[in-house]
């Protein structure tokens, strides 16, 4: 049966899946010394110039480069990402690796996923002109609509089953603010569907 439009109160649920943070020491780091001190690290310079240092708690992977820069992925919050980088720095110091000062940490990207709790008519969404950002939907290339929100500056992937993915946030609050704005806009547009039995 055809899906029928239904005006409903959307309950957006969002969950942070990954926080990417960068950090840097103001000096180079001896990756060979790290490999000797930590046999569990992954380092194949002929394939990739970074060394992968994994932690079990918090469950993250920090890539360390000989320039002293690092990239941490896998954290589920800003706090966890910062904690992971500081823990890696402490472990290196403990093992006798020369580390001067504390790393400068910056959150680069927060990825969250969620649900609108109802299917959505993406064709109709694309016909709406006042969405406060740019919207692109080419189903033959990608099954979701790509919505670039102006403020906060994030990108949503919106799927017809009501699932959403949000990328590009630098702070956790931006995720929740953006999800709330998206919810309000979609409610105003009245483009959610309810499958008829």
């Amino acid at each position: 049966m055809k899906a029928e439009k239904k005006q409903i109160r959307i309950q957006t649920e969002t969950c942070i899946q990954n926080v990417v943070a960068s950090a840097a020491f103001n000096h180079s780091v001896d990756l060979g010394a790290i490999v000797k001190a930590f046999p569990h690290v992954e380092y194949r310079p002929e394939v990739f110039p970074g060394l992968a240092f994994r932690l079990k708690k918090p469950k993250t992977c920090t890539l360390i480069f000989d320039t002293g820069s690092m990239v941490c992925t896998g954290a589920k919050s800003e706090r966890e990402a910062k904690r992971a980088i500081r823990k890696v720095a402490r472990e290196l110091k403990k093992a006798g690796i020369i580390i001067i000062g504390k790393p400068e940490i910056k959150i680069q990207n927060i990825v969250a996923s969620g649900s609108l709790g109802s299917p959505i008519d993406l064709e109709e969404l694309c016909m709406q002109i006042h969405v406060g950002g740019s919207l692109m939907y080419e189903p033959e290339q990608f099954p979701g609509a790509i919505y670039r929100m102006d403020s906060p500056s994030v990108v949503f992937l919106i799927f017809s089953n009501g699932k959403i993915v949000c990328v590009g946030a630098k702070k956790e609050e931006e995720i929740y603010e953006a999800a709330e704005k998206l919810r309000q806009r979609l409610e105003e547009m009245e483009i959610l569907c309810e499958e008829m039995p």
Side-chain angles (χ1 to χ4, degrees), residues 18-47:
N18 186 22
V19 177
V20 179
S22 66
F25 295 111
N26 291 320
H27 59 83
S28 59
V29 176
D30 184 348
L31 299 185
I34 297 174
V35 172
K36 284 178 191 165
F38 299 94
H40 70 281
V41 299
E42 296 165 36
Y43 183 47
R44 293 171 52 207
E46 68 284 356
V47 177

Side-chain angles (χ1 to χ4, degrees), residues 177-194:
E177 182 190 339
E180 177 60 17
K181 272 191 176 178
L182 179 67
R183 180 195 67 73
Q184 287 173 356
R185 284 177 189 157
L186 294 177
E187 267 183 13
E188 286 162 13
M189 291 178 205
E190 297 180 23
I191 53 172
L192 292 176
C193 308
E194 183 178 50

Side-chain angles (χ1 to χ4, degrees), residues 1-9 118-125 127-128 186-196:
M1 286 293 225
K2 198 177 177 192
E4 183 184 276
K5 272 193 282 181
K6 185 189 180 198
Q7 188 170 9
I8 59 172
R9 172 113 179 121
S118 173
I120 185 166
D121 186 335
L122 294 179
E123 299 275 338
E124 196 165 334
L125 174 65
M127 286 191 266
Q128 302 284 348
L186 294 177
E187 267 183 13
E188 286 162 13
M189 291 178 205
E190 297 180 23
I191 53 172
L192 292 176
C193 308
E194 183 178 50
E195 297 296 332
M196 297 294 286

